[in-house]
Amino acid sequence: MKPIRAVKARPVQQTLVIPRARVRQPLRSSLLPSRPLPPSSSSIPCPIGGHITPRRFQHPVMDSGFVDAPLPMDKISLSSVQESTGRIGIPERNQMFVVLLSAGSFNPPTYMHLRLFELAKDALEAQGYIVIGGYMSPANDAYRKKDLLPSIHRVHLCELACRTSSFVMVDTWEAKQNSYQRTLTVLSRIQSSLCHSGLIRKESLKVMLLCGSDLLESFATPGVWMLDQVRTICRDFGIVCIRREGKDIEKIISSDEILQENKNNIFSVDEIVPNQISSTRVRDCIRRGLSVKYLTPDEVIDYIKDQKLYVARRNQESGFLMG
Amino acid sequence: MKPIRAVKARPVQQTLVIPRARVRQPLRSSLLPSRPLPPSSSSIPCPIGGHITPRRFQHPVMDSGFVDAPLPMDKISLSSVQESTGRIGIPERNQMFVVLLSAGSFNPPTYMHLRLFELAKDALEAQGYIVIGGYMSPANDAYRKKDLLPSIHRVHLCELACRTSSFVMVDTWEAKQNSYQRTLTVLSRIQSSLCHSGLIRKESLKVMLLCGSDLLESFATPGVWMLDQVRTICRDFGIVCIRREGKDIEKIISSDEILQENKNNIFSVDEIVPNQISSTRVRDCIRRGLSVKYLTPDEVIDYIKDQKLYVSDS
């Protein structure tokens, strides 16, 4: 459900002017740029009206206009690929290896997000695929959702959240760019990074979008996505859709032309154990000082507490923050 | 929803004869008796028909007929009690301290079970109580539910599950007895153990039953519970009921006489974040070789794998 925006290159060190905003203490994080962070967090009133989301990452921009952020591959299950490769160097039995991409706000990440990977892996492996890795790709700050934490936090929370997973990693590329990125761009980049690494051949690799039925429904909703994007995602990549109880995936697919013509590349997975932990409600609990233990990993909770995230809502009536 | 059965004393070392059963390797557990375990796991066919659940704990029985199992108190929040106690040694402002009891199969324990404690604690503290501890009390093997793991495993799983909780512990007493125990007995025993320990005065302590709406509904269902039990639990202890979305607690209470007359001692707590992780489905996933990661703590999953629990139907 990301707004349709073309990627634009931005010059180095372009800073938004934020009036009367507070300078925050630098965070202890490997993602932290060497300069102190620009002031404050998301959704600050702008003098000309509306709200601005200040950019958190002021990284040097490459000639292509993109910020460099290598794809982590430490958890890619190379042994699965190697075991399956025969003596003449090509995988036996046309074995297909899958890498999953879950793109979202992760505001904050919860056990529900992590469960999607587990469910998808089990379902795909029952179909004969081998899942060799998964990526959480936190949305860019330009996504401008209400209450969206700066991406530096969300990336760190995702890293904490997937720590004990054997195959899920965090792709920071999308978050680090200076502007909104298309899901298709992120999918393509994962595919090319993995193939260029030499770890796996293009013909054996399938990078698939992991999502819930709400995202699939947005594909079928006129005006939300560009049709060629939907077509390319469905045809050249593929979708694994985790179906909540009561949601009719087959109906969503059959009601849309592009989804219907690519239905063999859209996998529907039942959510056997209902686990509807919504980030919105988790944020609500945190704001109200209620416990969120057992809804998300302890490390995520500890970080949120230490950094005092989510505890104060921007109050529009109170105007600007003290500077 | 436990069957109504009176407590009976059993003589020491009474062993059920189990035909054609396998001897299992002893488990590494502090709960393990010094002898090897009796053969095999739950639900073994009995020569005279039906199934028997063999008893796992063959502990020496005390004169009272009960097996000894001290109540753990390591996580009881004494500082809360002490801070609130004034100079003349009585708690200020009639401060009430609550200890929660969650009685169930825990087959296996999941994040849902653990969330109940968190929700109840928040809700009670918003009402001015201070929650100083909580207990998971795994049901006795005599409960005879289908697929019920031997209690030695369920107790251990609960201990692993509540490890990172600041206030939840495992009360092994119910599981260790040689027969089924009433919930009321477990509640009373927690109360008397805590008071006799000197940690807290009887007048300041409230031991409450923590449950979901299904248990509350069973209270109101004729024939399931003995009425005097329900009355005593509601009146002398109290209930914290976690309400799933769509469940009408007020209706359940108002439709039953005993619940209605004690409604001030029944707290209804909204489950703000739906988390319907059912142990039945978790077992199903395990049997089918599917992942249950993020439905229950990793240590619980590792133990289930190591011990090969749930993998095959008996």
Side-chain angles (χ1 to χ4, degrees):
Chain A
M1 283 175 288
K2 292 186 178 169
I4 301 166
R5 257 182 77 183
V7 170
K8 289 199 209 133
R10 297 278 166 91
V12 176
Q13 289 178 355
Q14 177 182 13
T15 323
L16 286 161
V17 176
I18 315 292
R20 293 198 290 283
R22 199 167 46 213
V23 175
R24 224 201 223 167
Q25 284 301 320
L27 301 159
R28 287 190 300 283
S29 163
S30 58
L31 300 169
L32 193 67
S34 49
R35 320 179 261 297
L37 287 169
S40 219
S41 65
S42 47
S43 207
I44 294 162
C46 170
I48 58 167
H51 285 72
I52 310 170
T53 305
R55 263 182 253 112
R56 284 268 152 272
F57 288 106
Q58 300 280 347
H59 287 209
V61 177
M62 295 161 65
D63 285 344
S64 59
F66 289 113
V67 173
D68 190 31
L71 185 72
M73 299 186 198
D74 51 295
K75 293 188 192 178
I76 295 287
S77 177
L78 295 174
S79 52
S80 304
V81 182
Q82 288 156 2
E83 270 163 30
S84 171
T85 302
R87 247 176 303 192
I88 49 174
I90 54 175
E92 291 176 7
R93 287 167 283 116
N94 298 325
Q95 179 64 60
M96 288 300 289
F97 301 95
V98 173
V99 167
L100 297 163
L101 165 69
S102 177
S105 305
F106 301 115
N107 189 34
T110 68
Y111 279 139
M112 186 274 288
H113 296 122
L114 296 161
R115 272 301 287 166
L116 298 188
F117 284 97
E118 300 289 314
L119 289 164
K121 183 174 198 278
D122 282 341
L124 287 167
E125 295 190 342
Q127 299 283 328
Y129 295 91
I130 294 179
V131 176
I132 58 170
Y135 294 100
M136 301 170 87
S137 177
N140 195 281
D141 283 330
Y143 194 19
R144 293 194 193 174
K145 220 171 174 183
K146 188 174 181 294
D147 295 334
L148 192 70
L149 274 191
S151 53
I152 192 173
H153 289 305
R154 290 181 290 115
V155 165
H156 195 64
L157 289 173
C158 287
E159 288 177 341
L160 292 171
C162 70
R163 204 174 50 82
T164 67
S165 170
S166 60
F167 68 105
V168 179
M169 300 159 277
V170 183
D171 181 12
T172 61
W173 185 86
E174 182 183 355
K176 279 183 173 171
Q177 300 314 307
N178 288 322
S179 60
Y180 158 78
Q181 300 300 319
R182 288 183 190 170
T183 304
L184 187 51
T185 313
V186 182
L187 282 164
S188 304
R189 192 188 148 274
I190 290 175
Q191 188 175 49
S192 51
S193 299
L194 286 169
C195 296
H196 287 161
S197 70
L199 290 175
I200 187 162
R201 298 179 340 134
K202 190 172 192 288
E203 297 76 22
S204 310
L205 175 65
K206 201 167 167 63
V207 181
M208 301 184 75
L209 182 64
L210 171 63
C211 67
S213 50
D214 53 347
L215 189 64
L216 200 68
E217 272 179 314
S218 77
F219 277 173
T221 307
V224 180
W225 289 79
M226 287 168 70
L227 295 184
D228 65 335
Q229 253 220 88
V230 178
R231 189 171 281 118
T232 312
I233 291 174
C234 292
R235 189 191 57 207
D236 299 348
F237 294 91
I239 300 176
V240 185
C241 180
I242 309 300
R243 190 187 78 89
R244 287 247 164 92
E245 274 187 14
K247 279 284 179 180
D248 195 345
I249 297 285
E250 283 71 27
K251 190 172 166 201
I252 298 171
I253 294 175
S254 59
S255 73
D256 182 83
E257 191 189 324
I258 299 176
L259 297 182
Q260 177 64 21
E261 72 190 20
N262 293 292
K263 66 180 177 184
N264 291 335
N265 214 15
I266 302 175
F267 294 74
S268 169
V269 181
D270 279 337
E271 192 181 34
I272 317 161
V273 187
N275 188 16
Q276 298 177 29
I277 301 173
S278 113
S279 291
T280 306
R281 293 198 186 188
V282 168
R283 292 196 301 276
D284 199 39
C285 285
I286 295 170
R287 242 176 247 123
R288 293 161 59 184
L290 303 175
S291 160
V292 291
K293 195 167 167 70
Y294 308 120
L295 299 177
T296 186
D298 284 345
E299 303 98 309
V300 170
I301 299 173
D302 292 341
Y303 182 81
I304 290 174
K305 273 205 185 102
D306 291 343
Q307 299 291 331
K308 298 186 177 31
L309 304 174
Y310 300 119
V311 283
R313 219 181 212 145
R314 291 282 160 255
N315 189 343
Q316 295 186 25
E317 284 75 34
S318 70
F320 301 112
L321 301 168
M322 288 303 299
Chain B
M1 282 172 286
K2 292 185 179 170
I4 301 166
R5 255 181 79 181
V7 171
K8 289 198 212 137
R10 297 280 166 93
V12 176
Q13 292 177 355
Q14 178 182 10
T15 322
L16 285 161
V17 177
I18 316 290
R20 293 192 296 276
R22 212 168 30 215
V23 175
R24 224 201 224 163
Q25 284 300 321
L27 301 159
R28 288 188 298 283
S29 163
S30 58
L31 300 167
L32 193 67
S34 49
R35 322 177 259 298
L37 288 169
S40 217
S41 65
S42 47
S43 207
I44 296 162
C46 170
I48 58 168
H51 283 74
I52 309 168
T53 304
R55 262 182 252 112
R56 284 270 153 270
F57 289 108
Q58 301 281 345
H59 288 210
V61 178
M62 296 159 65
D63 286 342
S64 60
F66 289 114
V67 173
D68 189 29
L71 185 73
M73 299 187 200
D74 51 295
K75 293 189 192 177
I76 296 287
S77 178
L78 295 174
S79 53
S80 305
V81 182
Q82 286 157 3
E83 272 162 27
S84 169
T85 303
R87 248 177 299 193
I88 48 175
I90 53 174
E92 289 177 8
R93 287 166 283 115
N94 298 324
Q95 178 66 59
M96 288 301 290
F97 300 96
V98 173
V99 166
L100 297 163
L101 165 68
S102 176
S105 305
F106 300 115
N107 190 34
T110 68
Y111 280 138
M112 185 274 290
H113 295 121
L114 296 162
R115 274 299 287 165
L116 299 187
F117 284 98
E118 299 290 314
L119 290 164
K121 185 174 195 278
D122 282 340
L124 288 167
E125 295 192 341
Q127 300 283 324
Y129 295 90
I130 295 178
V131 175
I132 58 171
Y135 293 100
M136 300 170 90
S137 177
N140 195 282
D141 283 332
Y143 195 20
R144 295 195 189 172
K145 222 173 173 182
K146 186 177 182 293
D147 296 335
L148 192 70
L149 275 189
S151 53
I152 193 173
H153 289 305
R154 291 183 288 116
V155 165
H156 195 64
L157 289 173
C158 287
E159 287 176 341
L160 292 171
C162 70
R163 205 174 51 81
T164 68
S165 170
S166 61
F167 68 104
V168 179
M169 300 158 277
V170 183
D171 182 10
T172 62
W173 185 85
E174 181 182 359
K176 281 183 175 171
Q177 301 314 306
N178 289 321
S179 60
Y180 159 77
Q181 300 300 319
R182 289 183 190 169
T183 305
L184 188 51
T185 313
V186 182
L187 282 164
S188 305
R189 191 188 147 274
I190 289 175
Q191 187 177 49
S192 50
S193 299
L194 286 169
C195 295
H196 287 160
S197 71
L199 291 175
I200 187 163
R201 299 177 341 133
K202 192 172 191 285
E203 297 76 19
S204 310
L205 174 65
K206 201 170 167 62
V207 180
M208 301 184 75
L209 181 63
L210 170 64
C211 67
S213 49
D214 52 349
L215 189 65
L216 201 67
E217 272 179 312
S218 76
F219 277 173
T221 306
V224 179
W225 288 80
M226 288 167 70
L227 295 184
D228 64 335
Q229 253 220 87
V230 178
R231 189 171 281 117
T232 313
I233 290 175
C234 293
R235 188 192 57 209
D236 298 347
F237 293 93
I239 299 176
V240 184
C241 180
I242 310 299
R243 189 186 80 88
R244 288 246 165 91
E245 272 187 14
K247 280 284 179 178
D248 194 346
I249 298 283
E250 284 70 27
K251 189 171 167 202
I252 297 170
I253 294 175
S254 59
S255 73
D256 181 83
E257 189 189 324
I258 298 175
L259 297 182
Q260 177 64 20
E261 72 190 22
N262 292 291
K263 65 179 179 184
N264 292 334
N265 213 15
I266 302 175
F267 294 74
S268 169
V269 180
D270 278 336
E271 192 180 35
I272 316 162
V273 187
N275 189 17
Q276 298 177 28
I277 302 173
S278 112
S279 291
T280 306
R281 294 200 187 189
V282 169
R283 291 197 301 276
D284 199 40
C285 286
I286 296 170
R287 242 176 247 122
R288 291 161 60 183
L290 303 174
S291 160
V292 291
K293 196 166 166 70
Y294 309 120
L295 300 177
T296 187
D298 285 344
E299 305 98 304
V300 171
I301 298 174
D302 292 341
Y303 182 80
I304 290 174
K305 273 207 185 107
D306 291 343
Q307 299 291 334
K308 299 189 180 24
L309 303 175
Y310 299 120
V311 285
S312 54
D313 278 326
S314 300

